Amino acid sequence: MIQISHLTKLYDGKPVVDDVSLTVERGQIAALVGTSGSGKTTLLRMINRLVTPSSGQVLIDGQDTAAIAPHLLRRRIGYAIQGHGLFPHRTVGQNIATVPRLLRWSADDIRARVDELLTLFQLDPDAFRDRMPHELSGGQQQRIGVARALAAKPDLLLMDEPFGALDPVIRAKAQADLRQIQRQLGTTLVLVTHDMAEAILLGDRIAVMDRGKLVQYAPPADILRAPATPFVEALIGPDMRPFHLLSLTPAFQIATEGHAIGAPIPREATLRDALAECLWSGRDALPVEGGGVVTLAALRQRAAP
């Protein structure tokens, strides 16, 4: 659990983060969203003390981070950034092993963890372990960056715009992979993004920042249905609200008995994905992996205001 209490950061006497308090429960994803300069990245970096707070407190599982040496604190917290930040002259395996080596893990344990993570990210260890970063695609580099952040089995992972440099197709796959792996490992995750759609897709709770202040902190459905301020409403985009709401529900939850032609959509595909597929393919119904169908009529009904 992360407890942030009255956290403030001043630069030249002006607050960049202004008296922010919030709690992230163990195993949750909290998405920090806001426009450029809203304070979200500064808030994230105060959690692992890359930025020192001017006032306030951060507790991780009840322990005040100010009482922990910064380098020791950062070894306990995974950190992934936009553009992956891999060391260009180290192999994939050496990159992933960075923190375990600092923690003096045995060579056998390090190799086992590297191979475990490569397998988890659907990268064959024998094919990728000894590659250099420049030999990887952008999506593969990003996966290695996240794998490196998870290497020492941290209970907490911080991510700063991790998918911002990826093209839309690779980004969607990376988001789905992250959600699946986070659920599998039970890692608590705090994610900075400027993209409300990404925050809604990934976040169990969304923290909306505006000019250094936390203006709303709630589950995605609550933010979509009851935005706290005009700024939050503008960030959502009034015309996009129905589509955002569709993205909160997996298709299998509304699947009914029936038959539909064509390839099935994944069981965990969202209703928004299903609507896009219906419109793109011209079909009135889609089969769902595992059984059942989702109809265009049902999707339109769900999307209605």
Side-chain angles (χ1 to χ4, degrees):
M1 176 190 291
I2 309 168
Q3 296 168 282
I4 294 173
S5 180
H6 301 290
L7 208 59
T8 295
K9 180 61 182 179
L10 303 175
Y11 286 112
D12 297 326
K14 297 180 180 179
V16 175
V17 172
D18 191 357
D19 194 28
V20 170
S21 297
L22 60 86
T23 297
V24 184
E25 299 292 341
R26 179 180 289 273
Q28 282 191 339
I29 297 178
L32 309 181
V33 65
T35 55
S36 178
S38 62
K40 56 190 186 295
T41 291
T42 301
L43 177 61
L44 184 83
R45 291 179 177 176
M46 285 194 283
I47 295 174
N48 66 356
R49 293 180 64 192
L50 285 174
V51 172
T52 302
S54 300
S55 61
Q57 191 177 42
V58 178
L59 301 178
I60 298 179
D61 292 333
Q63 186 175 15
D64 190 341
T65 58
I68 307 171
H71 69 286
L72 297 178
L73 175 68
R74 291 169 201 146
R75 290 178 189 176
R76 293 171 46 184
I77 299 174
Y79 187 56
I81 61 174
Q82 179 175 330
H84 59 73
L86 299 178
F87 299 115
H89 302 301
R90 295 184 185 178
T91 66
V92 164
Q94 290 168 341
N95 266 282
I96 295 173
T98 299
V99 176
R101 288 184 189 279
L102 291 173
L103 296 175
R104 301 185 184 279
W105 287 23
S106 72
D108 288 344
D109 287 344
I110 289 174
R111 184 180 178 89
R113 182 59 172 166
V114 168
D115 288 0
E116 177 187 6
L117 286 166
L118 287 171
T119 301
L120 187 64
F121 281 89
Q122 301 174 27
L123 299 169
D124 178 20
D126 290 335
F128 284 90
R129 188 190 306 114
D130 297 321
R131 289 193 189 182
M132 303 303 291
H134 72 267
E135 299 176 294
L136 308 178
S137 69
Q140 290 167 344
Q141 290 175 353
Q142 195 63 52
R143 277 186 273 175
I144 298 303
V146 178
R148 182 178 63 183
L150 292 169
K153 302 181 179 181
D155 291 328
L156 172 59
L157 175 60
L158 308 179
M159 305 185 78
D160 191 0
E161 298 277 9
F163 309 127
L166 302 181
D167 69 56
V169 174
I170 296 175
R171 180 174 183 150
K173 179 65 167 65
Q175 290 168 341
D177 287 347
L178 176 66
R179 186 72 180 183
Q180 178 183 353
I181 289 167
Q182 186 270 341
R183 290 297 185 234
Q184 185 174 339
L185 299 179
T187 306
T188 306
L189 197 160
V190 183
L191 168 80
V192 163
T193 179
H194 68 277
D195 183 351
M196 180 59 87
E198 182 168 84
I200 291 166
L201 178 67
L202 295 176
D204 296 300
R205 295 177 72 86
I206 297 174
V208 183
M209 300 285 293
D210 182 23
R211 290 175 290 186
K213 289 189 174 293
L214 179 66
V215 294
Q216 190 165 6
Y217 184 53
D222 292 353
I223 285 179
L224 290 172
R225 294 189 175 104
T229 69
F231 173 80
V232 179
E233 188 167 14
L235 205 59
I236 293 168
D239 295 338
M240 292 300 296
R241 184 175 297 158
F243 300 102
H244 289 321
L245 285 168
L246 286 177
S247 72
L248 298 178
T249 304
F252 78 87
Q253 288 191 5
I254 71 162
T256 57
E257 291 185 7
H259 174 74
I261 62 171
I265 60 172
R267 176 178 167 84
E268 295 295 334
T270 69
L271 298 186
R272 182 174 180 169
D273 297 331
L275 178 61
E277 180 61 26
C278 280
L279 297 176
W280 177 258
S281 65
R283 289 185 281 172
D284 292 326
L286 305 172
V288 179
E289 285 182 355
V293 300
V294 173
T295 67
L296 179 58
L299 293 168
R300 283 176 169 162
Q301 183 178 9
R302 284 287 187 123

